[in-house]
Amino acid sequence: GAEQREKQYRAHQGFGDHCGGVTGAHTYFYADEAKCDQHMETFLRCIDASSGSSEDGFSAIKLTALARPQFLVRFSEVLVKWRRFFNQMAAEQGQAGRAVLETKLEVEKLQEALANLGIATKAESQQWFTGESLGTSGTVDLLDWNTLFDSRTKLSRPLLIPNRKTGQLELLLSRFSEEEELQMERTLQRMDVLAKRAMEKGVRLMVDAEQSYFQPAISRLTVETQRRFNRNQPIIYNTYQCYLKEAHNNVTGDVELSRREGWHFGTKLVRGAYMEQERERAAQMGYEDPINPTYEKTNEMYHRCLNYVLEEIKHSRKASVMVASHNEDTVKFTLRRMMELGIHPAEKKVCFGQLLGMCDQITFPLGQAGFPVYKYVPYGPVKEVLPYLSRRAQENRGFMQRANRERDLLWKEVKRRLLTGNLFS
């Protein structure tokens, strides 16, 4: 029932219009499935436009334009509960607080715990692992655990998991309705159509990150698409918001999954666009704020995630990253680490992105130095695009000082050339 739902994933009338408090992101409102198909057609035209204007271009899409947001919230809650169940089992095995990829459940102890909780008999849980060919090493990590999800949620018997606060068993989900199953299928079909067009046109597809209560579902659907289309090169890019406390765990988990399955990991790293709204919603609804407490902590998280991906590029050359940042220090950090790790700009494993009309003092020097750099182009009706741009201008007002410094440096160089007689050299 609704009272058993996680607070973060409950509907709240005050946040029905999820534009409020959002900096630098457009919001789509669900009308019906036909409207989602119309959005898909718009995205297809964007892919075509990107292909016609540049080589190795990008086009961005948003999953809330292609799926019913209520479905994304419900699916996200299920995924989060499943992961928390894993963490609860890990805590009972004395592994609380370990890094996500270092946490490994002992299969025998896990089976005993499932039996004691009344979730599954030992014979049933043995069948789980036999059917999935997991646990052969005697342990199960989070990635193994996640592969169990699909088959477990399709059992005829409802899957019960323990509520960590009450100690009582409750439904993980009462099975998706037929309509929800269709919505899942239609969403994946739309992503499939877009990914195929992107591959045909030589364009890479970036799936934007959105609010934290949508994001687990968005990431899961994106990874499913990456598994199919990133076999030989990174066509699909997932987006990670580094102001989230879980950002590093999410990045490292998906990188490890790509290693095991042999596909190319593609990512866009951003700081995040929903901080004000996320914090207000968490305070009003009484759940833990998902955002890092300070800007400095977000910077640390961004550089930590970025460094992890750069290390992966060095070791495997099967990862690519867009550093989507207006922060000059982050750009300098990236350039320094690329040099230290021997990642050459010509490999095009690392690219940079800034919004059109902003931070040209970062964009142009990068391009002139031979780095792949992109301008993110907003489009749409003026009445919709102007509020978006005004929010981004407000967000980036601190960078005007850096633009002034860039102007001063350029003027200094002009005077130097005039005095030395080398104006055009």
Side-chain angles (χ1 to χ4, degrees):
E3 69 279 358
Q4 289 188 332
R5 299 200 61 181
E6 296 280 333
K7 288 183 179 179
Q8 188 170 356
Y9 302 95
R10 293 179 188 171
H12 187 290
Q13 186 175 356
F15 294 91
D17 177 357
H18 46 284
C19 287
V22 175
T23 300
H26 184 70
T27 299
Y28 293 90
F29 292 93
Y30 180 85
D32 51 34
E33 292 297 297
K35 190 67 174 177
C36 291
D37 289 335
Q38 289 178 22
H39 290 150
M40 181 187 73
E41 293 296 328
T42 300
F43 289 148
L44 287 171
R45 292 196 295 273
C46 290
I47 292 170
D48 293 342
S50 180
S51 174
S53 61
S54 65
E55 294 183 5
D56 299 320
F58 283 94
S59 190
I61 65 171
K62 297 190 77 168
L63 259 289
T64 49
L66 300 172
R68 188 169 185 251
Q70 288 93 327
F71 165 72
L72 294 175
V73 170
R74 178 162 156 72
F75 189 25
S76 291
E77 180 183 28
V78 170
L79 293 170
V80 167
K81 278 188 174 182
W82 185 246
R83 180 168 179 166
R84 286 180 181 168
F85 184 22
F86 174 87
N87 290 333
Q88 182 176 335
M89 295 295 100
E92 291 181 3
Q93 291 192 17
Q95 298 189 56
R98 285 192 182 182
V100 63
L101 295 179
E102 295 175 3
T103 306
K104 300 181 187 293
L105 302 182
E106 294 182 33
V107 172
E108 287 193 9
K109 289 184 178 178
L110 174 61
Q111 291 172 338
E112 290 175 5
L114 293 173
N116 292 337
L117 288 166
I119 295 170
T121 66
K122 197 162 186 179
E124 287 174 329
S125 60
Q126 284 174 342
Q127 185 61 39
W128 290 10
F129 296 103
T130 302
E132 299 293 338
S133 300
L134 297 173
T136 53
S137 64
T139 62
V140 172
D141 65 13
L142 183 61
L143 299 184
D144 297 326
W145 182 254
N146 285 341
T147 64
L148 286 170
F149 173 79
D150 292 330
S151 56
R152 296 290 67 77
T153 56
K154 291 176 182 175
L155 293 173
S156 58
R157 191 179 74 181
L159 180 60
L160 300 172
I161 63 171
N163 182 306
R164 58 180 180 164
K165 293 181 180 178
T166 67
Q168 301 297 312
L169 291 179
E170 62 182 43
L171 282 173
L172 175 68
L173 75 168
S174 54
R175 298 177 62 83
F176 284 142
S177 68
E178 184 177 342
E179 177 56 30
E180 286 170 327
E181 292 281 2
L182 285 173
Q183 287 173 0
M184 169 87 83
E185 185 178 335
R186 292 182 193 123
T187 303
L188 287 169
Q189 285 173 347
R190 292 181 188 112
M191 294 181 73
D192 187 76
V193 169
L194 293 170
K196 286 179 178 176
R197 178 69 67 86
M199 183 174 285
E200 291 168 4
K201 296 288 186 175
V203 172
R204 287 163 291 180
L205 206 60
M206 296 188 300
V207 181
D208 278 349
E210 304 191 47
Q211 285 92 340
S212 62
Y213 40 93
F214 295 137
Q215 196 54 44
I218 290 171
S219 288
R220 178 63 180 256
L221 293 168
T222 303
V223 167
E224 290 302 315
T225 310
Q226 287 179 313
R227 282 170 152 164
R228 292 193 57 204
F229 290 93
N230 285 12
R231 305 307 302 184
N232 300 315
Q233 58 183 317
I235 298 294
I236 311 299
Y237 279 56
N238 203 353
T239 302
Y240 298 87
Q241 299 177 107
C242 294
Y243 68 3
L244 293 176
K245 296 173 182 176
E246 288 293 314
H248 189 260
N249 283 342
N250 294 337
V251 169
T252 56
D254 288 350
V255 168
E256 176 60 24
L257 183 64
S258 72
R259 287 179 193 146
R260 293 185 188 182
E261 298 182 345
W263 43 271
H264 288 252
F265 178 81
T267 179
K268 178 177 73 169
L269 293 180
V270 301
R271 278 173 170 76
Y274 305 95
M275 182 174 69
E276 182 182 335
Q277 185 195 75
E278 291 274 16
R279 285 188 165 158
E280 183 182 354
R281 190 175 188 272
Q284 286 196 27
M285 297 180 67
Y287 59 86
E288 182 183 351
D289 183 354
I291 308 296
N292 286 319
T294 65
Y295 184 74
E296 289 71 27
K297 287 292 183 183
T298 293
N299 278 344
E300 289 175 16
M301 181 68 79
Y302 194 106
H303 290 178
R304 187 182 179 199
C305 293
L306 175 56
N307 191 62
Y308 190 88
V309 178
L310 293 174
E311 292 273 4
E312 180 66 13
I313 292 171
K314 175 190 175 182
H315 293 304
S316 75
R317 285 328 197 245
K318 294 187 75 172
S320 299
V321 59
M322 170 176 273
V323 182
S325 176
H326 293 146
N327 188 298
E328 193 173 316
D329 293 334
T330 292
V331 172
K332 290 178 178 177
F333 172 84
T334 309
L335 299 179
R336 184 178 73 251
R337 289 300 289 145
M338 287 178 69
M339 184 178 295
E340 291 168 353
L341 295 170
I343 303 170
H344 196 275
E347 295 180 69
K348 297 183 178 180
K349 296 291 185 182
V350 181
C351 62
F352 299 85
Q354 289 86 41
L355 191 66
L356 181 66
M358 294 185 183
C359 292
D360 289 348
Q361 78 277 8
I362 293 176
T363 310
F364 293 154
L366 284 171
Q368 290 165 348
F371 290 90
V373 60
Y374 295 83
K375 280 301 198 184
Y376 200 89
V377 184
Y379 64 91
V382 172
K383 65 179 181 179
E384 293 185 16
V385 175
L386 276 180
Y388 168 90
L389 290 174
S390 66
R391 289 194 298 268
R392 294 312 294 261
Q394 183 179 20
E395 178 193 24
N396 291 290
R397 62 187 183 274
F399 293 102
M400 290 303 295
Q401 296 175 353
R402 295 179 182 177
N404 291 337
R405 190 173 82 234
E406 181 76 6
R407 182 196 60 192
D408 293 341
L409 289 170
L410 289 169
W411 180 235
K412 182 179 178 181
E413 177 65 10
V414 168
K415 289 191 290 185
R416 185 192 70 80
R417 293 189 182 193
L418 282 170
L419 291 172
T420 60
N422 296 315
L423 182 60
F424 299 106
S425 64

